[in-house]
PDB file of all heavy atoms in Angstrom:
ATOM      1  N   PHE A  44      -5.704   2.711  -6.488  1.00 91.00           N
ATOM      2  CA  PHE A  44      -6.503   2.499  -7.680  1.00 91.00           C
ATOM      3  C   PHE A  44      -5.662   2.553  -8.966  1.00 91.00           C
ATOM      4  O   PHE A  44      -6.189   2.444 -10.066  1.00 91.00           O
ATOM      5  CB  PHE A  44      -7.647   3.511  -7.744  1.00 91.00           C
ATOM      6  CG  PHE A  44      -8.770   3.171  -6.813  1.00 91.00           C
ATOM      7  CD1 PHE A  44      -8.984   3.902  -5.671  1.00 91.00           C
ATOM      8  CD2 PHE A  44      -9.591   2.073  -7.047  1.00 91.00           C
ATOM      9  CE1 PHE A  44     -10.019   3.571  -4.782  1.00 91.00           C
ATOM     10  CE2 PHE A  44     -10.604   1.746  -6.190  1.00 91.00           C
ATOM     11  CZ  PHE A  44     -10.835   2.492  -5.057  1.00 91.00           C
ATOM     12  N   GLY A  45      -4.354   2.743  -8.828  1.00 83.00           N
ATOM     13  CA  GLY A  45      -3.428   2.564  -9.928  1.00 83.00           C
ATOM     14  C   GLY A  45      -3.557   3.533 -11.082  1.00 83.00           C
ATOM     15  O   GLY A  45      -3.912   3.153 -12.186  1.00 83.00           O
ATOM     16  N   LYS A  46      -3.214   4.804 -10.814  1.00 58.00           N
ATOM     17  CA  LYS A  46      -3.264   5.748 -11.922  1.00 58.00           C
ATOM     18  C   LYS A  46      -2.222   5.370 -12.973  1.00 58.00           C
ATOM     19  O   LYS A  46      -1.163   4.814 -12.657  1.00 58.00           O
ATOM     20  CB  LYS A  46      -2.993   7.155 -11.427  1.00 58.00           C
ATOM     21  CG  LYS A  46      -4.141   8.079 -11.851  1.00 58.00           C
ATOM     22  CD  LYS A  46      -3.984   9.480 -11.382  1.00 58.00           C
ATOM     23  CE  LYS A  46      -5.166  10.254 -11.879  1.00 58.00           C
ATOM     24  NZ  LYS A  46      -5.128  11.641 -11.580  1.00 58.00           N
ATOM     25  N   SER A  47      -2.515   5.684 -14.219  1.00 37.00           N
ATOM     26  CA  SER A  47      -1.633   5.319 -15.301  1.00 37.00           C
ATOM     27  C   SER A  47      -0.235   5.863 -15.058  1.00 37.00           C
ATOM     28  O   SER A  47      -0.052   6.948 -14.520  1.00 37.00           O
ATOM     29  CB  SER A  47      -2.164   5.903 -16.631  1.00 37.00           C
ATOM     30  OG  SER A  47      -3.461   5.412 -16.888  1.00 37.00           O
ATOM     31  N   ALA A  48       0.768   5.101 -15.490  1.00 33.00           N
ATOM     32  CA  ALA A  48       2.167   5.507 -15.301  1.00 33.00           C
ATOM     33  C   ALA A  48       2.408   6.867 -15.936  1.00 33.00           C
ATOM     34  O   ALA A  48       2.056   7.127 -17.079  1.00 33.00           O
ATOM     35  CB  ALA A  48       3.099   4.480 -15.941  1.00 33.00           C
ATOM     36  N   GLY A  49       2.980   7.764 -15.123  1.00 36.00           N
ATOM     37  CA  GLY A  49       3.342   9.090 -15.614  1.00 36.00           C
ATOM     38  C   GLY A  49       2.202  10.104 -15.569  1.00 36.00           C
ATOM     39  O   GLY A  49       2.397  11.260 -15.906  1.00 36.00           O
ATOM     40  N   ALA A  50       1.013   9.653 -15.175  1.00 44.00           N
ATOM     41  CA  ALA A  50      -0.129  10.588 -15.157  1.00 44.00           C
ATOM     42  C   ALA A  50       0.030  11.580 -14.017  1.00 44.00           C
ATOM     43  O   ALA A  50       0.439  11.240 -12.934  1.00 44.00           O
ATOM     44  CB  ALA A  50      -1.438   9.818 -14.996  1.00 44.00           C
ATOM     45  N   GLY A  51      -0.334  12.851 -14.283  1.00 45.00           N
ATOM     46  CA  GLY A  51      -0.266  13.848 -13.238  1.00 45.00           C
ATOM     47  C   GLY A  51      -1.482  13.784 -12.322  1.00 45.00           C
ATOM     48  O   GLY A  51      -2.552  13.345 -12.728  1.00 45.00           O
ATOM     49  N   PHE A  52      -1.351  14.238 -11.108  1.00 43.00           N
ATOM     50  CA  PHE A  52      -2.469  14.219 -10.182  1.00 43.00           C
ATOM     51  C   PHE A  52      -3.395  15.399 -10.499  1.00 43.00           C
ATOM     52  O   PHE A  52      -2.954  16.475 -10.853  1.00 43.00           O
ATOM     53  CB  PHE A  52      -1.966  14.346  -8.728  1.00 43.00           C
ATOM     54  CG  PHE A  52      -1.306  13.081  -8.271  1.00 43.00           C
ATOM     55  CD1 PHE A  52       0.053  12.911  -8.437  1.00 43.00           C
ATOM     56  CD2 PHE A  52      -2.032  12.081  -7.652  1.00 43.00           C
ATOM     57  CE1 PHE A  52       0.680  11.751  -8.035  1.00 43.00           C
ATOM     58  CE2 PHE A  52      -1.411  10.941  -7.226  1.00 43.00           C
ATOM     59  CZ  PHE A  52      -0.063  10.775  -7.414  1.00 43.00           C
ATOM     60  N   GLY A  53      -4.673  15.139 -10.365  1.00 44.00           N
ATOM     61  CA  GLY A  53      -5.652  16.196 -10.584  1.00 44.00           C
ATOM     62  C   GLY A  53      -6.093  16.339 -12.010  1.00 44.00           C
ATOM     63  O   GLY A  53      -6.903  17.189 -12.342  1.00 44.00           O
ATOM     64  N   GLY A  54      -5.549  15.521 -12.914  1.00 43.00           N
ATOM     65  CA  GLY A  54      -5.952  15.572 -14.333  1.00 43.00           C
ATOM     66  C   GLY A  54      -7.132  14.687 -14.617  1.00 43.00           C
ATOM     67  O   GLY A  54      -7.812  14.183 -13.715  1.00 43.00           O
ATOM     68  N   ASN A  55      -7.344  14.397 -15.885  1.00 42.00           N
ATOM     69  CA  ASN A  55      -8.479  13.592 -16.288  1.00 42.00           C
ATOM     70  C   ASN A  55      -8.021  12.270 -16.910  1.00 42.00           C
ATOM     71  O   ASN A  55      -8.745  11.653 -17.691  1.00 42.00           O
ATOM     72  CB  ASN A  55      -9.327  14.352 -17.311  1.00 42.00           C
ATOM     73  CG  ASN A  55      -9.962  15.571 -16.691  1.00 42.00           C
ATOM     74  OD1 ASN A  55     -10.517  15.472 -15.589  1.00 42.00           O
ATOM     75  ND2 ASN A  55      -9.869  16.714 -17.347  1.00 42.00           N
TER      76      ASN A  55
END
Side-chain angles (χ1 to χ4, degrees):
F44 284 108
K46 235 179 180 183
S47 302
F52 289 90
N55 295 313

